[in-house]
Amino acid sequence: MIIFLLVWPLLASVALLAFNFKKAKELALAVSVIELVVSLLMAFQFVKTAEVQFSVNEPWIASLGINFSVGVDGISLLLVLLTTVLVPFIILSSFNRSEIRTSNFYGLILMMEMALVGVFVARDGFLFYLFWEVALIPIWFICLLWGGEGRGKITLKFFIYTLAGSLFMLIGLVYLYFQTPGSHTFDITALYTAGRSLPVFEQSLIFWALFVAFAIKMPIFPFHTWQPDTYTVAPVQGTMLLSAIMLKMGIYGVIRWLIPVVPLGVHEWGNFVIIISVIGIIYASCIAIVQNDFKRLVAYSSIAHVGLISAGLLTLSKIGMQGAIIQMLSHGIVVFALFFIIEIIFERTKTRSLSELGGIRNMAPVLSSVFIVVMLGSVALPLTSGFVGEFMLINSLVQYQFLIGAIAGLTIILGAIYMLRTFQKAMSGEPNKTTIGFVDLSTHEKLVLFPMVILIIGIGVYPSPLLAISEAAVDSILVVMSDFSASVK
Amino acid sequence: MIPIDYYIWLSAVLFTIGVLGVLYRRNAIIIFMCIELMLNAVNLLMVAFSNYLNDPAGQVFVFFIMAVAAAEVAVGLAILMMMYRNTRTTDINVLNRLKW
Amino acid sequence: MVGIEFLIVLVPVLPLLGFLIISLNNKRLSHGVVSFIACGAVLVSFIISVLLFTQLLSQPEDQRFFQVVVMDWISTGDLSINFSFLVDPLSSIMLLIITGVGFLIHVYSIGYMHDDAGFNKFFSYLNLFVFFMLMLVMGSNYLVMFVGWEGVGLCSYLLIGFWFKNQAYNDAANKAFIMNRIGDLGLLLGVILIFMNCGSLNYEEVFAKATSLDTSTITFITILLFVGAMGKSAQIPLYTWLPDAMAGPTPVSALIHAATMVTAGVYMVARNNLLYSLSPISLNLILVIGLATALFAATIALTQNDIKKVLAYSTVSQLGLMFVALGVGAFSSGIFHMATHAFFKALLFLGAGSVIHALQGEQDIRKMGGLKKYLPITYITFFIGVLAISGIPPFAGFFSKDEILAHAFSVNPLVWGVALLASLLTVFYMFRLFFLTFYGSVRAGENVMHHIHESPKSMAVPLILLAVMSVVGGFMNVPEVLWGSAWLNEFLSPVFAQSQTVLVAHELSHSTEYMLMGTVIALTLVVIGIGYSMYVAKDSVPSAEGERIGMLHKLSYHKYFVDEIYDTIVVKPLYWLSGKFDLIIERLAIDRLVNSVGESVVAWSGLFRWFQNGTIGFYIFIMVMGVVAMLLALTIN
Amino acid sequence: MALNLFYFLSFVAVFSALLVVFSKNPVYSVLYLIITFFAIAGHYVLLNAQFLAVVHVIVYAGAIMVLFLYVIMLLNLNAETEPHKSTFLKFAAAICSGLLLIVLIGSLKGSEMIVNQSVQGSEIGLVKNLGKVLFTDFLLPFEIASVLLLAAMVGAVMLGKSEKS
Amino acid sequence: MNALYLICGLGFLSLLAEIANLKKALGAVIIVGLCLVTVLIVMDWNTGQHYYNDMVVFDNFSIVFIALIVVISIFWFWMSSDYFRGQSHQTDRSALILFAIAGAVLMISFNNMAMLFLGIEILSISLYALAGSKKESLFSNEASFKYFLMGSFATGFLLMGIALVYGATGSFHVTKIAEYLSSYPSELPIFFYAGVVLMLVGMAFKISAVPFHFWAPDVYEGAPVTITAFMSTVVKIAAIAAFYRVFSFCFSSAQETWITILQVITVLTLVVPNITAVYQGRVKRMLAYSSVGHVGYILLAFISNSTNAPGTIFYYLTAYAIASITAFTVLHEVENTDHSGFNGLYQRSPMLAVVMTISLLSLAGIPPLAGFFAKYVVFAQAVNHGYTGLVMLGVVTSLIGVYYYFKVIIDMFLKEPAGAAIQLSSSIRTLMGLLALLLLLLGLFPDWLISLLA
C-alpha cells in the first residue's frame, strides 16, 4: 500500500515530465485524488497502536547496510494524510492560472508529493535522507521556472542553505551509522539504540548536526532568512507546498529522528532550543506586524507558528507533542488557505501590497467570510483547528516553565494584531481603484476553499479522532524520554 | 673506486641546473634542452646505481629513458614548429591567452 | 431526565442553528423570514430557559443543578475536556437574562435595522453572539467557558465593525478584540494553571480540590483569571475599548456592551467565588479595581456629550460597582445588580437608540433637547431607566445598589464612601443626560426636526417591557430589612455556599441600614435638584468644542488622556520595535550574515584566480616551490 | 686516477651545463649541451657502462642535438632574439633552484646504508648482458617502446605537416 | 593481456586504414573492437595473471579500471564521431587515441616502474599531439604546448624519484620494492624517501593535484572539446589508478613519509579549485576546475583508508566519468562553451538542457544520482576512519560546487536563448539518454559496483 503511495505519483510525474500532455492538470488532479483515496483506505485499516504498520522492508544497498524500509505509525499516518489531502487542492488551486502551468509543472508537483510521503514513511536513516533531498529538487525547479522577480538568486540561496543543513544531518546520521554494532546498518531501531548508547557530549554534537537541518527546514528563528524571500518569489503552488507540507518535514524530523535518537542531547539542549523558538515567536510576529507584502506577512506568521510548535514539542510532554502534531495539520490547512486567498486577490488586483488593497469586502462577501474563518483559525479562536493546537502547546510550555509559557502566549495577542490589521487593510473600508472591479469567488475557488473551512472548523470542534491516531506513537516516544531523564536526574 | 655519493651529488647538481634553466630562460628550445639535461642527470644516477648495485636493470631503464627522450623531443619540436607558425616566436610567455 | 438534557442542549443550539440558516442563505432570505428565525430561535430558548428554571425550582435545595455531557472535545492522556453544560441557579439566572433581554433586543433591532443593507448579516451575528454567550454561562468547565468567552469577543468585534466601510469603526473593533485578547491570555494562563494544579477543568472537581491548594497558587490563578475579567468587563486598565465600542449599532451596544457580554467577568468571578474567597489578596484587588473604575468612569461620564458615550462610561462605572460587590464577598449582590443593570441599562440604550433613530443618527446631546413632546414613549421609558439607575426607590436599581452599599459599609466605611460618591456622580450625569435630551429648548436642526417621529411598535414594545422590568425587577431580592424575603440570595445560596463558609460574614444592625438608606436617598434627591437647576432651570448647555474650559473639566472631557498615554507607551513602541526588527536585525544582521558568507567565497575566488595567470614560468615556479616545500617537510622529520 | 678523472669530467659537465643555461645564443647552448653529454658519456665509461656510453653519444649528440640544431636553423633563432626576463624573475629563479639544490643535497644522504655490491671491472655494462636482460625481463617494455615511438612519430607528423588550405 | 594486444592492434589498423582507405567503416570497427576488448578484459576476472615475468598484472583492480576506461572510451568514440568525420588526419587521431588508451591500460596494470613510465609517456605524448590537433587555433597550440612543457618537466621529477627508489631498493619491480620495504624497513636510506616524494610530485602532476594542477584548467580549456572530454575522463581514471597502485601497492608500508604531505595536498585540492571555479564565466573551464576539485574527494578517500579504498575510488571515478562525459557531450553539441552559450538552452533544445542538468546535478552530488552516492561513500569512509574535519571541509566545498554548477542550470532555464534551436542526431540522442539513465541507475543501485573491489 505504501509502495503504491510512493510509486504511483512517481510514475505519473515521470509520464507528465516525459510527454507534454494537453490535459495535464486534469490528469494530475485525477492521480492525486486516487492517491488520496488510497491513503484514506490506509487510514481506515490503521490500528491505533504504537507499532509500525503496513511496513515493507527490502534490502537495498546491502554493502552499505541500507534497506528500503518503510512503514507508518500514527504520527506518520497523519502527516501522510495531510500531504495526500492537500496536494489535490494545491493542483486544483492552479486551475485558473493553467495557461502558464505546463505538464512539467504538475509532474514536479507529483514528484514532490512522492518525496514528501517518502520522508514521512521512511524507517531507514539513509532512505529518510534520500527522500529529504529528493523533495528539494522539484520544489527548487517549481520556484525557479515559475517564480517571480529575482528568483534565480533567491532560489539558489534557498537551495544551498537547506542543502547545507541537510548535509550536516547526513554526517550526523553517518556517524550514528558507524556506532551501530556488527556490519553497520541504517535501520531506525538500530540507530536509536546506537544513539542512546552514546555519552552526552557526542549526543549533543549529533543533536546539533541533525537539529540544524531540521531548524533550517522549519525554519525557526535564526535560520529563517531564506524563507520569506523564497515564499514571496515562489509561485503560489510552490509556496503552498513549501509552507503547508515541506515545513512539516522539519518538525517531523525532530519528532522521529531527533528526540528518540539522542535523548541526552535533547535533554542537554532542549531548554536552549525552546528559548530560541520562543524568541522567534515574538520576533517573527513583530516583523509580521509591519509587513506590507501580504505573502511576506504570512511567511513571517508561519515562522511564528512554527516557533511555537517546536518549543512545545521540545517540552517533551505528551500534551506538547500531541499539540504539535495537531498544530502541524492545522497550520498546513490554514496557511494553504491563506496563500490561496492571497493568490486570488493578487490575480484579481495584480498586487500584494496591503496599502494598495481595501474594501474588497464590499464586492466579495463570500471571499471575506472565508477569509474571516481562516483568519480565526490562524489567530487560534476556540472551535477552530488553531485553538486546539495552540492551547495544548501553550499548556505544555506553561507546565514546562510558567514565564516561557506566558511569553509564548503573547502569540495569541500579536497574532490577532497582525491578522486583524491585514483583514482591515485588505478587505474593509471603501473600495479603491485597484479593488473596485473585484469579482467574488469562482466555483473552483469555492471548491478549494470551502473544504478548508470545513476542515478548520471540523478539527476545531472534534479533534479527538486525530489525537487518538497519534496518541500511542507519542507515548512510545515519551517512554524512552522519561527513562532517560530519570537516568539523568 | 668513486663513492656513490659523488654521483648522487653530481646528478643532483645537473638536475638542478636543468631546473634552473627551465625557470631562467624564456626561449622554448633552450627550455627543452634543459629538460633533456634533467633527464640526463637521472640517467647518470641510474647508471651509477646500477653499477653500484651490480644490476643491469638500471642501465636497461636508461635505454627506455633515452627512447622516451627522443620521442618527446620529436613531438615537442613539432609542437614548437606549429606554435612558431602561428605566433612567429618561441617565447613561452607570449602564449598566455588561457588564464583565470 | 433525558428530556431535561435535551432541552439544555437545545438552549444554545437553537441560536446556533439560527445563525447557520441565516448566514448560509444570506442572499435568499427576506428580512421578514430572517427576523422571524432569529427572534424565534432566541424566544424558544428563552421559553426553554424558563422551563429549566422551573425544573430547577422543583428540585430540593441541594440538588439544584443539571449537567449534560454533549461530546468529548480535546482528550489525550490526562488532558480530557468535554463539551458539557451545567445548569445551576447561577447559570439559569444568566440564561433568563441573556435570552430574555436578548429576545427583546432582537425584536427592537427589527425596527432599528429595517433599512440597513446588512440586515440579515446583523441578525446572524446576533444569534451567533447569543450562542456563544450561552456557551459561556452554561459551560461546566473552564475551557467551554473560554470558548464562549472568546466567541463573544469575536461577535463584539464583528458587530462593532458592522459598518466596515468606516475605518474608524474597524479600528474600534480591532481595539476591542485585541484588548479582550490581552485579557483572554490572562484567563487562558489561569485556566492552564488550574489544570496543572487540579488535573482537571471541570468546575466541581476543581472546587473539590481547591481547598487543598496553597494560597499563593490560588492568588496567582485568581489574579490571572481576573485579568481576563478586566478585559471582558472593561475594568481599569483595560476599559478603553468599551466607549469606542459604541461605534456598533445601538442594539449591539445594548445587548453586548451593556446587558450581557460585559457582565461575563462578573459571572466568571461569581462562578469562581470559592477560589476568590480562598484568596483575600485577589478579593481586595478586585475591590480596589472595582472602586477605582466606578469612580474614574463616573467622572469621565460627567462631561461627555455623546449620548452613547455617557451610557458607555456609566456601564463601566456600574460594572465597577458590581466588582465592588464581588470584592467585598457579596457575590449574590453582584449578580443581583448585574440583573437589574441588564434591565435598566438595556432600556437606557434602547431609549437612546430610539432618540438617535428619531434624529437620523444624531448622537450629540448638545444638538438635542426638548424632545419630550415629540417622543413620549421614549421619554417615559427613558425616565424610568434614569430613575432605576439612580437608585430611587422602588425602582430596580435602588435595591441592588443599596445592597452593595450596605455590604461595602459593613466591610469598611471608606469603601462605602467611595462607592456612594460614584453612585451620586452617576445620578448627576444621568439626569444631566436626561434633562439635556428631553427638556429645554429644541437644539436640533430644522431638517432633522422636520421628519422627527416616534419609533415603530417593534421598538416601542421592548422599551415598555424593559421599563416594566426596571420597575419590578428589584422585587426579586427585597432585603429582610424592608420586610422582603431576599429570594434571589436564597436561590443562589447553593452556588455560594462553600465560599460563605470561608468568608467571615459581617452583619449590620437594621438601624444602620435604615440610616444608610436614608442618607443615600437624601443625597440622591439633592443631586437631582442640582442637576435640575443647572440644566432645566438655567437651561445651560455644555460648551461646544474648542471653548476654554476648566482644568479638571478638560481632563475629564478628554478622558484623562488615557488613550493617548496607551498609544505612546504601548502601541507606538511596539511598532517602532517591529520596524527595527525588520530593518536592522532581519535585513542588516541575520540576512547580511548569511549573504556575506556567499560573497566572501566569491571574493576569495576573485583572489585565487590570479594565481592562474596563464604564464608557464609562473606555474613551473610554483611547482618547484611545492617540491622544495615537500622535500623540506621530509628532511625536517 | 679514476677520481681525478671523475673530478675533471664532473667539472666539464657542470660548467658546460651552466653555459647551456646562460649563453645568449641558442646555437652555443646546443653546442655546450653536446659537450655536457660527452662528459656524461665519459662518466658512463668510468662506471663501466661502455655500451650505454656509445648509445648515449649516438642518440643524444648524434640524433637529438642535431634535431635541435636543425630546428634552430629552420626557425632562424641563432640571433639573440630572446627578450630577457626581468632581473627580479631571474633572481627568483636562481633563489628557487638554489633552494631546490640545498634540499636535494640535504635529502640525498644515507647512501652508506646500502651495501656496495659493485665488483671491479664488472661486465654488466656489456652488450651481451644488457641484451640478455633487455630481451628476457624487459621484453614487454621493449615492445611497448615501439608503440611509444610510433605514437610519437604519428603525432609529430600530424602536427608538423602544415595544412594545405 | 589480449585486451592490450587488441587495443594496439586497433591502433595499427586505423593507421593502415589511411592507406587501405577504410575511413568510412573505421569508427564502427573501433567501437566494435572496443566492445570486444571489454569482453576480453572481463573474461580475465578473478584470474589475476601476471605477464612477461611480472611486468604487468591483470588482477581485479586492473580489470575493473581497464573495463571502465574502455567503456568510457566507447562512449567517447560514440560522442565524438564528428571530431573525426571529414577531417584530415582522421586515422592519425583515432590511432593516437587508441595508443593513449593502450598507455592508460599499462598505467593501470603495470607491475614495474618501467611499465609505469612507458605507459605514462605513451599516454602523454599522444595527448600532447592531440591537444594541439586543432592546428590553426592558437588556444589549441597553447594548450598542447603548456601540456607538453610542464608534462615533460614533471616527468623529470618522476624519473628522478624512480631512480632514487631504485638506488635504495635495487629494483624497479613493484612487488619486490614492497617486499623490500616491509622486510628491511629500518635500513632504508633517506634518499629513498626523497625518491618517494619526487614520485609523488610526478604522479600528483598527472592527477592534477594542487599545487601541480595549474596546467589542467588551461589545457582543458584550450584543447578541442572532445580531447578535453577524453582527458578529463580516461586520462584521469588511468592517472588515479596508477597513483593508487604506486602508493597503495608499492609504498603503503612507507606511509608515514608521504601521508601528511598528501593530506595537505588533499586539503589544497579540495579548496583551491572549487573556490576558483566560482568566478568562472566559461562552462568548459568551470568543468576543468570541477574535475580538479573531484580529485580532492578521491584523494580524501585515498588518505582516509589507503589499503582498501579501491571500491570507493572506483565508484567515485565511474560516477564522475559518466557525468562529465555527459556534460562534455552536451558541450560538444552546444559548441559555444561560454556561459552565454548556455543561456536559454532549454528553449533551444530541451533534451540538451535536461541532460546537462542531470549531469551537473550528479557532479554536484545531489541525490539520487550517482554523484551523490560517490560523495556519500567517500565521506562515510572518511568519517569511519576519523577524518571528520576533512569531511566537513569536503561538505563545504561541495556546497560551493553546488553554487557554480547551479548557476549554469539557472542560466539554461531562465536566460534568453543565445541562438537558434539545436538539431540533434538520433545517435547523440540515444547516447545522451543512455548516459542520463546510467547516472540514475548507478545512483539507485550502486551496490554491486561498490562491492566489486570490496
Side-chain angles (χ1 to χ4, degrees), chain A residues 157 224-225 283 286 291 300 318 322 362 379-380 382 392 395 399 412 424 428-430 460-461 464 471, chain C residues 71-73 76-77 125 150 164-165 167 170-171 174 177 181 192 195-196 220 578 582 586 590-591 595:
Chain A
K157 177 180 171 184
H224 65 279
T225 46
Y283 177 79
C286 285
Q291 287 308 311
Y300 279 109
K318 181 167 182 181
Q322 288 282 61
N362 301 290
V379 302
M392 293 169 82
N395 192 337
Q399 302 201 19
I412 72 170
Q424 181 183 357
S428 312
E430 293 286 355
V461 174
S464 303
E471 182 152 14
Chain C
M71 62 183 221
D72 72 329
W73 180 20
T76 174
Y125 289 168
E150 289 238 299
F164 57 82
K165 284 198 175 68
Q167 289 293 20
N170 295 319
D171 292 336
N174 289 358
F177 192 83
R181 260 301 166 102
I192 292 171
F195 173 73
M196 263 175 77
F220 196 34
S578 311
D582 188 17
E586 182 77 352
I590 301 178
D591 205 13
N595 294 341

Side-chain angles (χ1 to χ4, degrees), chain C residues 169-475:
Chain C
Y169 292 0
N170 295 319
D171 292 336
N174 289 358
K175 186 177 180 184
F177 192 83
I178 289 162
M179 281 203 141
N180 273 301
R181 260 301 166 102
I182 298 172
D184 296 352
L185 176 58
L187 182 63
L188 186 62
L189 292 176
V191 169
I192 292 171
L193 282 181
I194 289 173
F195 173 73
M196 263 175 77
N197 292 302
C198 305
S200 160
L201 286 177
N202 281 352
Y203 290 138
E204 69 266 17
E205 298 174 29
V206 173
F207 296 153
K209 288 207 186 57
T211 43
S212 60
L213 299 176
D214 61 343
T215 321
S216 59
T217 321
I218 293 189
T219 312
F220 196 34
I221 292 172
T222 44
I223 288 174
L224 283 171
L225 293 181
F226 182 58
V227 171
M230 284 178 190
K232 198 55 83 188
S233 298
Q235 295 300 293
I236 291 173
L238 296 181
Y239 70 96
T240 54
W241 65 270
L242 186 52
D244 295 12
M246 294 302 126
T250 312
V252 175
S253 318
L255 177 60
I256 302 184
H257 304 122
T260 52
M261 181 186 94
V262 289
T263 58
V266 181
Y267 162 79
M268 192 270 291
V269 175
R271 172 61 74 193
N272 293 304
N273 57 75
L274 177 55
L275 296 181
Y276 280 96
S277 52
L278 286 173
S279 146
I281 299 171
S282 30
L283 268 187
N284 291 333
L285 178 72
I286 294 178
L287 178 57
V288 171
I289 297 266
L291 273 176
T293 314
L295 194 58
F296 191 73
T299 51
I300 295 177
L302 288 175
T303 56
Q304 297 306 310
N305 293 328
D306 181 322
I307 183 167
K308 289 180 70 179
K309 281 269 161 64
V310 175
L311 291 177
Y313 279 107
S314 95
T315 310
V316 176
S317 154
Q318 294 296 314
L319 289 166
L321 214 52
M322 297 178 208
F323 278 104
V324 172
L326 301 173
V328 299
F331 299 106
S332 57
S333 325
I335 298 298
F336 180 34
H337 191 59
M338 187 187 86
T340 54
H341 175 262
F343 299 141
F344 56 69
K345 187 49 68 68
L347 170 61
L348 287 167
F349 264 111
L350 295 189
S354 87
V355 170
I356 294 164
H357 191 68
L359 299 180
Q360 280 90 38
E362 182 52 69
Q363 299 197 4
D364 190 335
I365 51 178
R366 287 167 301 187
K367 299 194 176 61
M368 296 178 182
L371 299 178
K372 182 168 64 178
K373 52 184 167 308
Y374 301 99
L375 311 171
I377 304 173
T378 313
Y379 164 66
I380 304 288
T381 48
F382 200 88
F383 187 46
I384 294 173
V386 173
L387 290 175
I389 195 175
S390 312
I392 305 297
F395 294 97
F398 166 72
F399 297 100
S400 52
K401 193 190 279 183
D402 175 68
E403 199 175 322
I404 294 174
L405 289 173
H407 281 96
F409 188 85
S410 67
V411 170
N412 180 341
L414 182 62
V415 178
W416 176 79
V418 179
L420 178 60
L421 178 56
S423 55
L424 291 178
L425 288 172
T426 312
V427 175
F428 179 77
Y429 63 70
M430 283 316 295
F431 272 93
R432 167 177 177 270
L433 178 68
F434 176 64
F435 291 142
L436 284 172
T437 312
F438 291 98
Y439 287 81
S441 57
V442 177
R443 294 183 295 276
E446 266 316 308
N447 55 342
V448 180
M449 297 310 296
H450 181 250
H451 31 61
I452 185 167
H453 56 81
E454 178 57 274
S455 308
K457 286 230 172 354
S458 59
M459 288 165 72
V461 173
L463 285 175
I464 294 161
L465 288 176
L466 280 171
V468 173
M469 288 310 291
S470 312
V471 177
V472 304
F475 293 100

Side-chain angles (χ1 to χ4, degrees), chain E residues 57-74:
Chain E
V57 50
F58 280 69
D59 52 9
N60 289 351
F61 177 84
S62 324
I63 286 168
V64 286
F65 276 93
I66 292 171
L68 176 58
I69 61 165
V70 174
V71 171
I72 296 292
S73 332
I74 293 172

Side-chain angles (χ1 to χ4, degrees), chain C residues 20-138:
Chain C
L20 290 175
I21 295 166
I22 298 172
S23 57
L24 292 185
N25 315 318
N26 195 349
K27 300 262 182 316
R28 293 180 219 89
L29 298 181
S30 73
H31 288 191
V33 182
V34 168
S35 38
F36 175 77
I37 294 171
C39 303
V42 182
L43 179 62
V44 174
S45 39
F46 173 65
I47 292 161
I48 297 171
S49 319
V50 175
L51 278 178
L52 291 173
F53 180 66
T54 51
Q55 283 290 339
L56 216 51
L57 284 176
S58 68
Q59 299 292 317
E61 275 283 334
D62 53 353
Q63 291 158 20
R64 282 184 178 170
F65 63 86
F66 313 124
Q67 194 158 7
V68 190
V69 176
V70 181
M71 62 183 221
D72 72 329
W73 180 20
I74 306 174
S75 62
T76 174
D78 50 1
L79 172 76
S80 85
I81 293 153
N82 306 329
F83 281 115
S84 59
F85 296 136
L86 169 70
V87 174
D88 67 348
L90 180 56
S91 46
S92 72
I93 293 290
M94 295 298 290
L95 287 186
L96 291 173
I97 296 169
I98 293 161
T99 49
V101 178
F103 170 67
L104 293 178
I105 289 170
H106 271 72
V107 176
Y108 178 89
S109 312
I110 298 171
Y112 190 84
M113 301 294 291
H114 61 84
D115 47 9
D116 190 289
F119 187 88
N120 298 1
K121 193 168 55 140
F122 181 80
F123 275 97
S124 66
Y125 289 168
L126 276 189
N127 269 349
L128 185 62
F129 168 77
V130 174
F131 162 70
F132 275 123
M133 195 65 211
L134 291 170
M135 289 284 281
L136 196 163
V137 295
M138 290 175 73

Side-chain angles (χ1 to χ4, degrees), chain B residues 17-61:
Chain B
I17 293 173
V19 175
L20 172 65
V22 174
L23 287 169
Y24 188 83
R25 300 298 296 261
R26 292 173 62 171
N27 187 335
I29 298 194
I30 312 285
I31 291 176
F32 285 1
M33 290 197 274
C34 294
I35 291 172
E36 292 304 321
L37 192 58
M38 287 163 66
L39 294 186
N40 274 278
V42 176
N43 286 356
L44 180 59
L45 191 58
M46 286 262 185
V47 174
F49 276 131
S50 85
N51 167 273
Y52 192 67
L53 303 166
N54 196 14
D55 165 30
Q59 298 190 20
V60 174
F61 203 99

Side-chain angles (χ1 to χ4, degrees), chain B residues 8 11-12 15 18-19 22-23 28 31-32 35 38-39 41-43 45-46 49-51 53-59 61 64-65 68-69 71-73 75-77 79-80 82-83 85-87 90-92 94-100, chain E residues 112-115 117-118 121 125 128-129 132-146 148-149 151-153 155-157 159-160 162-164 166-172 191 198 218-219 221-223 276 280 282 285 289:
Chain B
I8 297 180
S11 59
F15 190 83
V19 175
V22 174
L23 287 169
I31 291 176
F32 285 1
I35 291 172
M38 287 163 66
L39 294 186
V42 176
N43 286 356
L45 191 58
M46 286 262 185
F49 276 131
S50 85
N51 167 273
L53 303 166
N54 196 14
D55 165 30
Q59 298 190 20
F61 203 99
F64 294 124
I65 298 183
V68 168
E72 273 192 349
V73 169
V75 174
L77 289 175
I79 293 173
L80 198 67
M82 174 178 67
M83 181 178 127
R85 246 189 250 113
N86 291 328
T87 64
T90 57
D91 181 349
I92 58 168
V94 165
L95 280 182
N96 62 352
R97 284 178 187 68
L98 298 170
K99 61 174 87 168
W100 299 335
Chain E
N112 184 312
M113 293 304 174
M115 294 318 297
F117 175 56
L118 283 172
E121 281 309 314
I125 286 176
Y128 301 152
S133 61
K134 205 191 276 176
K135 278 189 274 182
E136 65 289 354
S137 142
L138 269 178
F139 291 126
S140 178
N141 295 349
E142 179 178 351
S144 85
F145 179 70
K146 276 180 175 168
F148 166 76
L149 200 60
S152 40
F153 185 69
T155 311
F157 283 97
L159 283 174
M160 193 68 183
I162 292 177
L164 290 172
Y166 167 69
T169 60
S171 166
F172 293 109
F191 68 73
L198 288 177
D218 296 1
V219 174
E221 188 188 359
T276 320
Q280 267 324 305
R282 286 162 285 184
R285 193 171 179 82
Y289 279 116

